Amino acid sequence: MSGIHAILPLTSKQLSPQIERSKIKQALEDSQSISATFIGQERAREALTFGLGMKAKGYNFYVMGEAATGRYTLVRDYIQRYANSLPNPDDWCLINNFDEEREPFVLRMLAGGARAFVKDVSHLIDELLDTFPAAFDNPGYQRRKAAIAREFDQRYDRAIDSVERYAQANQVALLEEGGTISFAPIVNGSPITDTEFSKLDDEKRSYYYQLIDELENRLSESLLSLPAWKRENSERLRELNRQTIENCIKPLLKTLEHKYASHLAILKYLRRMKGHLIDTIISTLIEENKEDKLDEQERRALLEELYLPNVLVGHEINASAPIVYEANPNYQNLFGKMEYTSIHGNVYTNYRMIRPGALHKANGGYLLLDVERLIEQPYVWETLKLAIKSSSLKMDLPQQDVGMVNAMTLNPQPVELNVKIVLFGSRELYYTLQDYDEEFMELFRVLVDFDPDIPLTRQSQFDFIGRVKRELAELGMRDISVAAMQRLVEYSLRMAEHQKRLSAHFADVIELIHEAKYFCDKAHTDQLELEHINTALEAKKRRTGRVSQSLLEDIKEGHVLIATEGSAVGKVNGLTVLDIGDSTFGTPARITSTVYAGASGVIDIEREVELGQPIHSKGVMLLTGYLGNKYAQHFPLTLSANIALEQSYGHIDGDSASLGELIALISALTEIPATQDIAVTGSINQYGEVQAVGGVNEKIEGFFDLCQHRGLNGHQGVVIPKSNAINLVLDKAVINAVKKDQFRIYAVETVDQALSLLMNKEAGVINSKGRYPKNSINYHAVNRLYNIALTVNGE
């Protein structure tokens, strides 16, 4: 067969994937299939295995692919299995730097050690509160304290006694009252008062004045060392207190020193703590003359603030390597933060108010981040790269940029960092970072590339069914029928637009399962059936189908001119697909063309009014190349033609209308009518080969719905590229109509095949003399173009 009769419509079996129900039944009955956690993605799994095994610096991950393709689930499950074999991560805590409190020390301990150390220090504080100030009530301490006081009093008394003896020898009494020493003359065996002293004669008064001056000088000389005695007394008392405190805390600290004898950093900390602790106890727990003595709770808070470690990250003893996902990767959430409080109007912080970030928590393990959110945050990307390169995490808050220039801040020691970063992002962002950030490829060497669809193999179908079973188990569903599972597989194939490839967007399948469960619950059953899935699909189509229904109504009412019967010159039914929100649907569009003598060439009206986008304009410009190559080898290509998508009022993109536009153009050129029963979609190249397009299922169903409404006549159908036959996963209504020979779908490889179908005439094959058969489409096209060229050139 040749020509028009050689192009046969596709059979009903070619319009959808042929899924073997027996294999689905077998997979459903296999209990092990419920353990499936992901579907396909062999390339991604290999990259993950490689990256997890690489210990060298810079082998962090960039997980590339579209959202809802199971990226996060696969990566986390894979990492979790690997992390279980890694050694326990270390604990990290902050301790006070007694020499410089603004620079607290970082303490690294084995898993579980940080919380145990905090518990031990807390127990030490309990013992200190129990010991002090009760330790100073000890009789031995009181005796030594009294002895120091007595020695001071004896020194003082000896100094006073010598002066008093000299005074009495000269008939002067030494009087001491309220800590004040004074002198009074003795007359008739007793001291006299000031009144009696004033009655003495001048000679006597002068004598006593001189004597009292001398006594006061003697007293001053005797007590000249009194301040030194007092200092010595205070120092001896302070030394007694220090010895008493040291003797009390020594066994308490000794216990901790023995316990942590193998941990040098803790031993250093305990030795530094000893001296600071003595001063703290002296100043806060035994000050007798303190006006505002601290109560029990305040004393505990003070000791905890000074000595209790601040656990940044603590793990269980048998913990595996941490896997942390930070949903909001701003600066503080990633690198930690310092909390502040207000004391008497001043902003204050200390090492106990430092909080860890996601990098602290993931240290020794894996940190998962969304790179789109990451790069939107100020300072974060550069700081993260610096931490990875230096293998250390320094908490350095950019204060000047957050309005805290004058606030007190801390500068803790950096934490040694050993973490693998896993970035989740799009393809576009990956290549953008690759182009504009020289360090990106040095730090993220492992690309984990997720395919948007998965080959339909026995294993991938088995994994798909297992993943569905796991989801049903989590929803509390008892079972699923074979027909329902087959429908889910078909739904995934339809999303992938391929008869042999499953969609990697498993989240859409989960969404359908959840919606079908709603109808299961209404039917009071816990087994998912085919009818529940079909009902859920119909309900969603109705919820999101207002726009598509409105367009169909406009065509039905004649507001949009689309003919589904008869034939017309220069008019072809094209097929378009629209994406509005989460709704995708096809609708026919009339393509028209006019041709006349002139030299303007093929004018794309859509481009002229700036509604045609670049890819659409490219498709139209290819028409000139096709006409010249096909028909104008021996004369100049000269014509004027207009092409338009009628009643289109928005932007148009894509080249899938170029086949329909060419047929409309050739129909107008040859004045051979094109049938309106058949709609066309396809892209062409300059050599007349028909190329694949997207959205073929929606396009076919959009034209079928209109034809079905007007009544199927057995001649209606659609022309698609032959390379799109593998993409057909059509609705049952279309398949049934094809099976009954009420609707036809043709797959063509060349423009000539499409011309023959739509014009019901042989396109014509050029012979050895360079001529086309008489009365063929191509013959009329060459003649018309030749005549236009003669007319334009005045011949």
Side-chain angles (χ1 to χ4, degrees):
M1 293 188 295
S2 62
I4 185 171
H5 301 293
I7 307 169
L8 298 175
L10 299 177
T11 66
S12 59
K13 289 185 177 181
Q14 294 175 285
L15 305 184
S16 66
Q18 303 303 305
I19 302 170
E20 296 183 33
R21 182 169 290 199
S22 59
K23 291 184 179 179
I24 292 180
K25 185 178 180 181
Q26 180 184 354
L28 277 172
E29 293 172 351
D30 192 334
S31 59
Q32 291 181 349
S33 66
I34 200 168
S35 63
T37 56
F38 56 87
I39 307 159
Q41 304 294 358
E42 290 300 322
R43 181 187 290 105
R45 280 194 288 179
E46 290 172 8
L48 277 171
T49 303
F50 168 76
L52 291 172
M54 286 296 297
K55 305 300 182 186
K57 186 182 292 187
Y59 283 85
N60 298 292
F61 299 89
Y62 188 100
V63 181
M64 183 169 71
E66 302 174 17
T69 55
R71 295 179 305 168
Y72 179 80
T73 302
L74 187 152
V75 169
R76 188 174 182 92
D77 287 350
Y78 225 79
I79 292 177
Q80 186 65 65
R81 287 197 294 271
Y82 185 81
N84 291 334
S85 63
L86 296 180
N88 293 345
D90 291 331
D91 287 355
W92 295 89
C93 61
L94 289 170
I95 53 177
N96 198 356
N97 181 353
F98 302 115
D99 298 326
E100 178 51 71
E101 292 189 356
R102 292 194 179 188
E103 298 180 2
F105 294 125
V106 169
L107 195 61
R108 182 175 187 171
M109 308 183 72
L110 295 176
R115 292 195 178 99
F117 185 51
V118 169
K119 201 173 188 179
D120 290 336
V121 175
S122 181
H123 181 63
L124 173 65
I125 292 173
D126 291 338
E127 291 181 322
L128 290 172
L129 291 172
D130 292 339
T131 304
F132 302 101
F136 298 102
D137 295 332
N138 185 283
Y141 170 81
Q142 294 295 337
R143 281 196 302 272
R144 294 178 64 185
K145 182 179 179 182
I148 294 171
R150 272 198 313 274
E151 187 173 342
F152 174 79
D153 291 342
Q154 288 172 358
R155 277 189 177 185
Y156 181 80
D157 290 344
R158 283 196 296 270
I160 297 297
D161 286 347
S162 64
V163 176
E164 186 175 17
R165 283 194 300 271
Y166 181 79
Q168 288 178 349
N170 290 279
Q171 298 300 308
V172 176
L174 185 147
L175 305 175
E176 186 173 2
E177 184 178 356
T180 302
I181 297 176
S182 60
F183 297 95
I186 299 175
V187 178
N188 298 325
S190 63
I192 63 175
T193 63
D194 290 343
T195 303
E196 293 172 336
F197 181 76
S198 64
K199 293 179 181 180
L200 297 176
D201 56 43
D202 292 341
E203 185 179 351
K204 281 282 187 185
R205 288 202 303 271
S206 176
Y207 167 75
Y208 281 118
Y209 278 138
Q210 292 178 2
L211 183 59
I212 290 172
D213 284 342
E214 182 183 355
L215 289 169
E216 287 180 346
N217 288 335
R218 281 177 173 267
L219 180 64
S220 296
E221 289 176 1
S222 298
L223 297 179
L224 190 64
S225 300
L226 182 63
W229 297 344
K230 286 186 175 180
R231 286 196 302 272
E232 184 181 346
N233 182 72
S234 298
E235 183 61 34
R236 291 182 63 189
L237 187 59
R238 190 158 40 246
E239 184 61 29
L240 173 62
N241 289 337
R242 293 183 68 86
Q243 289 179 1
T244 304
I245 295 170
E246 186 173 357
N247 291 335
C248 290
I249 67 174
K250 190 173 182 179
L252 303 181
L253 292 175
K254 204 70 175 175
T255 304
L256 288 180
E257 288 175 357
H258 281 305
K259 183 173 182 178
Y260 294 100
S262 61
H263 203 300
L264 184 60
I266 293 181
L267 288 179
K268 289 181 178 179
Y269 173 66
L270 293 174
R271 285 164 190 165
R272 288 195 189 100
M273 181 199 288
K274 184 178 178 181
H276 193 273
L277 189 58
I278 292 172
D279 294 334
T280 302
I281 293 174
I282 289 174
S283 62
T284 59
L285 300 185
I286 62 170
E287 289 274 345
E288 294 183 353
N289 298 324
K290 215 171 180 184
E291 295 180 2
D292 50 344
K293 287 189 176 181
L294 303 177
D295 59 25
E296 177 83 12
Q297 187 174 358
E298 289 172 330
R299 291 201 299 269
R300 171 177 289 280
L302 175 65
L303 293 176
E304 288 182 349
E305 182 178 316
L306 291 172
Y307 306 111
L308 197 64
N310 175 18
V311 179
L312 286 178
V313 183
H315 301 283
E316 299 297 331
I317 296 177
N318 57 350
S320 60
I323 303 171
V324 178
Y325 172 69
E326 178 52 59
N328 181 23
N330 60 33
Y331 196 95
Q332 291 187 335
N333 288 349
L334 270 186
F335 306 106
K337 62 182 177 180
M338 300 174 192
E339 295 180 343
Y340 291 82
T341 186
S342 179
I343 299 178
H344 304 301
N346 296 318
V347 178
Y348 168 78
T349 188
N350 72 353
Y351 79 100
R352 296 265 311 151
M353 301 173 74
I354 294 176
R355 298 292 175 260
L359 269 172
H360 293 95
K361 298 173 185 176
N363 201 3
Y366 305 86
L367 177 61
L368 283 55
L369 301 168
D370 289 317
V371 67
E372 283 90 350
R373 297 176 184 174
L374 180 76
I375 61 175
E376 291 175 354
Q377 303 291 338
Y379 315 108
V380 170
W381 178 244
E382 294 299 327
T383 308
L384 178 63
K385 290 193 299 179
L386 181 62
I388 297 172
K389 286 188 294 183
S390 63
S391 297
S392 68
L393 176 56
K394 184 172 178 59
M395 195 176 295
D396 187 15
L397 183 68
Q399 290 184 321
Q400 292 184 349
D401 300 291
V402 295
M404 296 180 63
V405 180
N406 298 321
M408 172 185 172
T409 188
L410 303 176
N411 184 28
Q413 281 185 326
V415 173
E416 184 180 333
L417 190 63
N418 177 26
V419 64
K420 275 191 181 286
I421 308 296
V422 183
L423 299 181
F424 292 86
S426 65
R427 299 178 186 278
E428 294 78 11
L429 187 54
Y430 175 78
Y431 296 120
T432 301
L433 289 171
Q434 201 175 43
D435 291 339
Y436 292 98
D437 192 330
E438 296 178 355
E439 297 174 322
F440 175 69
M441 291 306 296
E442 296 178 10
L443 300 177
F444 296 90
R445 300 177 186 271
V446 183
L447 173 62
V448 183
D449 193 356
F450 274 73
D451 295 316
D453 46 47
I454 303 156
L456 180 61
T457 62
R458 181 180 180 278
Q459 183 60 46
S460 63
Q461 182 173 293
F462 190 81
D463 290 341
F464 179 93
I465 293 171
R467 184 66 182 86
V468 170
K469 288 176 67 177
R470 193 177 81 170
E471 187 66 29
L472 291 172
E474 291 174 0
L475 290 175
M477 300 290 288
R478 178 175 57 85
D479 204 355
I480 180 172
S481 67
V482 176
M485 183 62 78
Q486 183 176 349
R487 184 67 183 91
L488 289 176
V489 174
E490 289 176 355
Y491 179 73
S492 182
L493 294 168
R494 170 63 182 258
M495 287 190 298
E497 292 190 328
H498 204 286
Q499 294 183 3
K500 299 186 181 300
R501 301 186 74 85
L502 293 166
S503 170
H505 288 257
F506 193 75
D508 293 336
V509 177
I510 292 177
E511 178 186 343
L512 176 57
I513 293 171
H514 282 240
E515 292 176 7
K517 182 182 182 296
Y518 168 78
F519 295 101
C520 267
D521 294 340
K522 289 185 70 174
H524 304 290
T525 179
D526 58 357
Q527 174 162 317
L528 195 62
E529 300 287 352
L530 176 61
E531 60 188 79
H532 303 137
I533 295 176
N534 288 336
T535 304
L537 287 171
E538 287 297 325
K540 183 174 183 179
K541 184 177 180 181
R542 177 168 175 77
R543 289 196 306 271
T544 60
R546 186 190 64 81
V547 176
S548 61
Q549 189 65 32
S550 297
L551 289 174
L552 185 59
E553 290 295 331
D554 288 343
I555 296 173
K556 291 175 182 177
E557 295 171 2
H559 297 155
V560 176
L561 301 179
I562 299 291
T564 54
E565 292 182 343
S567 58
V569 173
K571 298 177 182 178
V572 170
N573 287 329
L575 295 174
T576 62
V577 63
L578 301 177
D579 286 313
I580 300 176
D582 61 348
S583 176
T584 303
F585 58 90
T587 182
R590 173 175 282 184
I591 302 171
T592 61
S593 178
T594 57
V595 176
Y596 48 92
S600 301
V602 179
I603 297 174
D604 178 15
I605 293 177
E606 310 298 334
R607 182 179 62 183
E608 296 299 316
V609 297
E610 298 183 353
L611 288 178
Q613 298 298 298
I615 296 177
H616 177 264
S617 299
K618 173 188 174 184
V620 175
M621 293 173 72
L622 286 171
L623 304 186
T624 303
Y626 173 80
L627 293 177
N629 178 66
K630 184 82 171 179
Y631 303 124
Q633 293 291 337
H634 305 293
F635 59 87
L637 178 64
T638 307
L639 84 161
S640 290
N642 290 334
I643 294 177
L645 264 73
E646 300 293 348
Q647 295 182 282
S648 171
Y649 308 106
H651 291 287
I652 298 171
D653 202 5
D655 60 354
S656 63
S658 57
L659 177 59
E661 290 166 339
L662 179 59
I663 294 172
L665 177 60
I666 292 177
S667 173
L669 180 68
T670 61
E671 296 182 349
I672 300 173
T675 180
Q676 304 298 295
D677 295 310
I678 299 176
V680 177
T681 185
S683 166
I684 66 163
N685 61 26
Q686 295 182 88
Y687 293 98
E689 297 170 323
V690 180
Q691 303 165 148
V693 295
V696 65
N697 294 295
E698 289 80 5
K699 291 174 179 178
I700 293 172
E701 290 168 359
F703 188 66
F704 174 79
D705 289 341
L706 176 61
C707 294
Q708 189 179 44
H709 169 73
R710 291 180 174 176
L712 297 172
N713 58 20
H715 302 292
Q716 294 151 334
V718 170
V719 171
I720 65 170
K722 187 173 183 179
S723 52
N724 275 128
I726 194 69
N727 304 117
L728 294 178
V729 188
L730 290 168
D731 189 70
K732 295 296 182 186
V734 180
I735 296 174
N736 291 334
V738 170
K739 192 178 292 185
K740 297 175 182 177
D741 201 26
Q742 296 175 333
F743 194 78
R744 296 174 182 177
I745 298 173
Y746 299 93
V748 299
E749 295 181 271
T750 64
V751 169
D752 284 349
Q753 290 177 341
L755 288 171
S756 298
L757 280 169
L758 269 80
M759 297 183 184
N760 200 25
K761 186 184 287 289
E762 293 291 341
V765 179
I766 196 167
N767 59 26
S768 58
K769 296 181 180 180
R771 297 176 181 175
Y772 289 102
K774 287 187 177 182
N775 204 32
S776 67
I777 298 172
N778 291 330
Y779 174 83
H780 289 293
V782 171
N783 282 349
R784 180 73 190 281
L785 285 172
Y786 181 70
N787 290 332
I788 291 175
L790 293 176
T791 302
V792 171
N793 293 324
E795 298 179 14

